[in-house]
Amino acid sequence: MKRSIFTGFAVLITGLIIFLSGCVKDTPDAPPISTIPFDPSKVLSIGQLKTMLTDSGGIYTFKENYSLFGVVVMDEKSGNIYESSYIQDATGGIQLNFIYTSGLYLGDSVRILLNGSTIELYHGMFQVQNLHPGNSVYKIKTGLVYEPKTITLEELNLNYDLYKSTLIKLDSVQFADSELL
């Protein structure tokens, strides 16, 4: 009887030691490494994308690993858009169209791999088409606050194309009560 109690107690202690030692991890997991190719010599700005499209005469498809950096200023969760987001850099803004939901959110700093995607002008809007969220998007940082540029209505009318797809704040504008919902 004494021996079976001792054996049961030894098995319990051994099992407890194995269980507790298996729960402790000496080194934390390393963050995942991006498998999205990156060539620092092939980085384009949104302004350069727009120039490439204009120079190509309509549609341009990327066949090399060019990248685009920007901050998400409108996403499919906060806006009335589906499988799209808008990003902005210092040179302007552009619409990104994905083949399925992207998982991008307002304030995400991203790198977009352009290989295989197409830039085109659709109803006057510059767009990057055919982006695969898993293979084309690398989130660099989240939760950034992108401050809109404050402009007047006159500036908007004079430079309408410059401000397309960008986050702006109109200054000195008044709306008639009958135009409000």
Side-chain angles (χ1 to χ4, degrees):
M1 173 94 172
K2 203 176 193 184
R3 186 176 182 149
S4 68
I5 293 174
F6 178 72
T7 304
F9 185 69
V11 168
L12 180 66
I13 294 294
T14 304
L16 188 60
I17 289 171
I18 290 171
F19 175 74
L20 291 176
S21 66
C23 294
V24 176
K25 194 168 190 177
D26 293 335
T27 57
D29 291 338
I33 297 172
S34 172
T35 58
I36 299 172
F38 178 62
D39 183 351
S41 67
K42 293 184 177 179
V43 175
L44 299 171
S45 69
I46 292 172
Q48 289 171 316
L49 276 183
K50 290 178 178 181
T51 301
M52 285 175 74
L53 178 61
T54 304
D55 292 347
S56 73
I59 295 177
Y60 183 85
T61 301
F62 286 92
K63 298 189 184 340
E64 294 182 54
N65 290 334
Y66 281 95
S67 292
L68 172 69
F69 287 84
V71 175
V72 177
V73 293
M74 185 174 175
D75 61 23
E76 53 197 347
K77 182 181 175 199
S78 61
N80 190 17
I81 54 177
Y82 181 66
E83 295 178 353
S84 295
S85 293
Y86 288 81
I87 65 168
Q88 189 170 340
D89 68 10
T91 63
I94 196 163
Q95 182 179 357
L96 306 176
N97 292 322
F98 297 95
I99 59 172
Y100 59 83
T101 303
S102 67
L104 292 180
Y105 300 103
L106 193 64
D108 287 346
S109 174
V110 295
R111 176 173 59 90
I112 306 295
L113 177 66
L114 297 170
N115 193 0
S117 68
T118 302
I119 52 172
E120 61 184 56
L121 197 61
Y122 181 72
H123 291 288
M125 299 292 290
F126 287 94
Q127 299 180 343
V128 180
Q129 301 283 355
N130 305 321
L131 289 170
H132 186 284
N135 299 335
S136 303
V137 179
Y138 178 68
K139 284 188 188 182
I140 299 167
K141 196 171 189 178
T142 60
L144 298 176
V145 177
Y146 201 92
E147 291 297 324
K149 182 176 182 177
T150 302
I151 62 171
T152 64
L153 196 55
E154 293 80 28
E155 286 176 291
L156 179 61
N157 287 331
L158 289 173
N159 298 304
Y160 180 71
D161 285 334
L162 177 67
Y163 296 115
K164 282 183 184 177
S165 302
T166 61
L167 190 60
I168 61 167
K169 179 180 177 182
L170 291 174
D171 192 27
S172 303
V173 175
Q174 183 175 348
F175 294 94
D177 287 339
S178 61
E179 294 176 349
L180 300 175
L181 297 176

